[in-house]
Amino acid sequence: MLKNLSCQLKFAFFPCQENNFRPLALQRQFLIYYVLLFLALKMVIFPFYLLFPKTSFFAEVISSTLIELTNQERQSSGLSPLKESLVLNQAALAKAKDMIENDYFNHTSPSGITPWYWFKQKGYAYRAAGENLAIGFLDSAEVEKAWTESPSHRQNLLNSNFKEIGIAVLTGNFQGKETTIVVQFFGNPIAKPVVARLTKPPKPISTPKPILSPEPIISIVETPVNILAESEVLIEPEAPIETLNPEPLTEAKGEFNLPVEVFSFGSNKYDQITSQAITVFLLFLIGALIFNFLVNLIEGIKRPELVLDAAFFILLLFISNLVDKQLIISLIPHNLTI
């Protein structure tokens, strides 16, 4: 059985007399199948890009991805990663809702409400705070790229004063169009004042001698962190640090949700995994075609079509790496503001 299997594999993949020095796997009909499979794998991602921003799953997916990308950027610059704060997430969401409801995109609302109001509303006392905003983006990597290329936003991303992060992503009607707003808050929380609780001294047991009470119990409670959009930072010796950009540009793990997981995988992981798999396969195929051409050449068989096939798949490899996720997203019409 093993001998029969090895013969079949040899017939299918290795040039020999049995297959007339043209393996079955490299014949034209199979090469066409490979191309069709390649196109199918690439095209299946388009529905995710077109539907993803319009679904309620968008915010849940992009917020965690943005936090991951932000921490990657910080760690590559030698900074400690930021811890996700649920309070900052709530503050950022409140700010995002306010912008959608009042139809504005700025650090300060038309009524004069600053980003720091949302921190205080959620009970987040801070030593330092910052905000980054973005609107109209379709992908988390696209948002992060825009922020890192903006000096003021990048300053917030790489600010060593910040310890926590919160993000909200909200899709709604903004100035007559369905769009997505991203609010990113940074913070460094202040611990609440120490509260000392003295225990009552125990009653004397047998002697009238007074008994001293034990050491007071001290409890320290840290205030949770809130999220803000845009980038702005202000550092003072005694006052809180608040940082904003001159121009405006997670969450608790819930129960397993299949639609969310599918959209998350399709939008964030699928393209990366398939691109790597396609690249490896195309490299293998190109190598096999060149090897077969050389074997045929040694056997005195002229097979110029093998060279053409190899050249075609080299071109396909180039196109595969050129047409990546970011290029596809850039082809989808959308206005970007940070």
Side-chain angles (χ1 to χ4, degrees):
M1 182 177 179
L2 290 176
K3 185 178 179 180
N4 185 35
L5 178 61
S6 63
C7 290
Q8 291 179 356
L9 291 175
K10 180 180 177 181
F11 182 82
F13 297 102
F14 191 82
C16 56
Q17 290 183 350
E18 288 83 354
N19 55 29
N20 195 24
F21 295 96
R22 184 69 186 257
L24 181 65
L26 296 181
Q27 291 182 9
R28 279 291 172 86
Q29 62 182 26
F30 282 93
L31 296 180
I32 294 173
Y33 294 153
Y34 301 149
V35 174
L36 294 176
L37 178 61
F38 164 82
L39 293 175
L41 290 173
K42 280 293 183 181
M43 292 297 292
V44 75
I45 196 65
F46 275 94
F48 286 102
Y49 296 147
L50 295 174
L51 298 174
F52 189 56
K54 300 176 183 178
T55 68
S56 61
F57 311 120
F58 182 63
E60 295 182 49
V61 176
I62 197 174
S63 61
S64 58
T65 305
L66 272 174
I67 292 174
E68 182 181 351
L69 292 173
T70 298
N71 282 331
Q72 288 176 4
E73 188 73 24
R74 287 176 65 88
Q75 289 175 315
S76 65
S77 299
L79 298 172
S80 58
L82 300 173
K83 180 182 178 182
E84 183 180 8
S85 164
L86 296 182
V87 180
L88 284 179
N89 284 347
Q90 294 168 3
L93 181 60
K95 169 67 181 286
K97 287 180 178 179
D98 189 66
M99 285 195 289
I100 291 289
E101 291 171 2
N102 294 289
D103 209 31
Y104 74 95
F105 180 71
N106 209 317
H107 293 293
T108 304
S109 72
S111 60
I113 297 176
T114 66
W116 326 125
Y117 165 81
W118 307 104
F119 283 83
K120 296 170 184 176
Q121 187 196 52
K122 299 299 179 181
Y124 186 79
Y126 53 85
R127 298 179 187 277
E131 176 185 48
N132 280 342
L133 296 179
I135 189 172
F137 291 80
L138 299 183
D139 176 70
S140 53
E142 191 182 30
V143 177
E144 186 71 15
K145 184 174 182 290
W147 280 342
T148 54
E149 290 179 350
S150 166
S152 56
H153 293 80
R154 182 176 175 82
Q155 185 179 6
N156 265 353
L157 295 173
L158 302 181
N159 193 321
S160 60
N161 290 301
F162 299 142
K163 305 301 179 185
E164 298 180 320
I165 187 174
I167 293 179
V169 182
L170 186 64
T171 299
N173 189 288
F174 178 77
Q175 296 183 354
K177 293 182 179 179
E178 189 80 3
T179 190
T180 299
I181 288 179
V182 183
V183 178
Q184 185 180 50
F185 279 174
F186 303 92
N188 185 350
I190 298 176
K192 287 183 178 179
V194 175
V195 178
R197 294 179 297 171
L198 297 177
T199 60
K200 292 182 179 180
K203 295 179 180 180
I205 300 173
S206 57
T207 63
K209 219 173 179 181
I211 299 176
L212 295 177
S213 62
E215 292 295 324
I217 300 172
I218 301 175
S219 62
I220 301 176
V221 182
E222 286 196 358
T223 308
V225 183
N226 294 328
I227 307 170
L228 284 177
E230 305 226 17
S231 74
E232 173 178 322
V233 179
L234 170 64
I235 301 176
E236 301 176 9
E238 300 297 333
I241 302 167
E242 299 172 345
T243 71
L244 289 174
N245 276 311
E247 297 180 2
L249 277 203
T250 58
E251 73 274 24
K253 302 297 180 183
E255 296 180 358
F256 178 82
N257 189 316
L258 182 59
V260 170
E261 296 299 325
V262 170
F263 272 91
S264 176
F265 175 79
S267 61
N268 297 312
K269 301 295 184 182
Y270 177 86
D271 184 76
Q272 181 182 359
I273 294 173
T274 53
S275 293
Q276 291 175 352
I278 288 172
T279 298
V280 171
F281 178 73
L282 288 178
L283 287 172
F284 171 79
L285 197 58
I286 292 166
L289 288 166
I290 294 174
F291 173 75
N292 277 265
F293 173 76
L294 294 175
V295 170
N296 277 269
L297 200 61
I298 293 172
E299 295 292 332
I301 304 173
K302 294 182 179 179
R303 288 264 173 81
E305 67 271 15
L306 288 173
V307 178
L308 295 176
D309 291 341
F312 172 78
F313 282 100
I314 290 173
L315 177 63
L316 196 61
L317 176 64
F318 174 77
I319 294 174
S320 173
N321 287 280
L322 180 66
V323 184
D324 60 359
K325 179 180 178 180
Q326 292 306 311
L327 177 61
I328 295 172
I329 289 175
S330 67
L331 298 176
I332 300 174
H334 58 294
N335 298 320
L336 312 179
T337 306
I338 61 174

